[in-house]
Amino acid sequence: MHPDGERILLSEETIRARVAELGAEISRDYAGKELLAVSILKGAAIFLADLVRCITVPAFFDFVAISSYGSSAKSSGAVRILKDLDCNIGGRHVLIVEDIVDSGLTLNYLADSLNFRDPASLRICTLLDKPSRREVPVNIHYNGFVIPDEFVVGYGLDYNERYRNLPYIMTLRPQIYEEA
Ligand code: IMP
């Protein structure tokens, strides 16, 4: 394990097996359709890359970048789109692919904003779900793992942009936050 880690929450093998299950489930549900996976930069990029390779229906993908308006405004749910989609989603089957749902504010905002553009369908797939921290409801269709209220890094998730490239998901030693 990385020396900054406290313990491995999800091993590389555990993640790979669950991503394959999610891909199979999504492939069954979207049989006969084309899928547009919309992913949020940067954290979900690694999950998206693995997930789309487990999907057997034609799958396109696109990215958005989102930022929240500072910590005080965050509770209002105000988030800003820094990079919008390149493509038109009207009439398409859109699947939002996210790394983790925490308060739910980011996804709640993104789902609302995409719904305005009249997709044929809109569903949400997240690798991780921290339901104990939810502030607004989020309708998750595909959920990789429900995890406790702990800050985790790896497999796309970062702390100050670090640890995204770890192939597993781990918690951090408390000293790492204290040094920051
Ligand atoms: P929400 O709007 O509170 O649901 O925020 C979700 C975003 O917060 C995720 O896309 C992550 O970027 C970030 N986040 C939440 N929990 C964690 C964590 O445990 N590790 C790393 N990033 C996290």
Side-chain angles (χ1 to χ4, degrees), residues 74 98-106 130 150-152 157-158:
K74 208 184 169 211
E98 177 57 312
D99 50 6
I100 183 165
V101 185
D102 191 26
S103 70
L105 293 170
T106 308
K130 273 189 209 173
E150 285 183 285
F151 193 82
V152 292
L157 292 154
D158 75 306

Side-chain angles (χ1 to χ4, degrees), residues 151-168:
F151 193 82
V152 292
V153 296
Y155 198 72
L157 292 154
D158 75 306
Y159 176 64
N160 290 341
E161 296 297 327
R162 290 180 184 272
Y163 315 111
R164 289 194 196 275
N165 64 317
L166 296 176
Y168 47 83

Side-chain angles (χ1 to χ4, degrees), residues 133-152:
R133 303 241 318 161
R134 199 74 88 250
E135 290 175 32
V136 290
V138 177
N139 189 5
I140 300 172
H141 292 87
Y142 306 100
N143 199 342
F145 302 94
V146 175
I147 63 165
D149 180 14
E150 285 183 285
F151 193 82
V152 292

Side-chain angles (χ1 to χ4, degrees), residues 17-88:
R18 186 68 184 122
V19 172
E21 282 177 4
L22 289 172
E25 195 184 338
I26 291 165
S27 302
R28 278 195 302 276
D29 291 353
Y30 288 84
K33 295 176 183 154
E34 285 187 350
L35 180 68
L36 173 64
V38 169
S39 192
I40 304 177
L41 293 172
K42 302 170 204 170
I46 292 188
F47 174 41
L48 174 80
D50 285 345
L51 182 69
V52 290
R53 283 179 284 181
C54 296
I55 291 177
T56 52
V57 298
F60 299 77
F61 51 88
D62 202 349
F63 297 94
V64 290
I66 288 179
S67 99
S68 58
Y69 284 104
S71 48
S72 57
K74 208 184 169 211
S75 55
S76 70
V79 289
R80 191 159 51 111
I81 293 189
L82 297 177
K83 183 221 164 287
D84 206 338
L85 295 172
D86 293 332
C87 66
N88 197 328

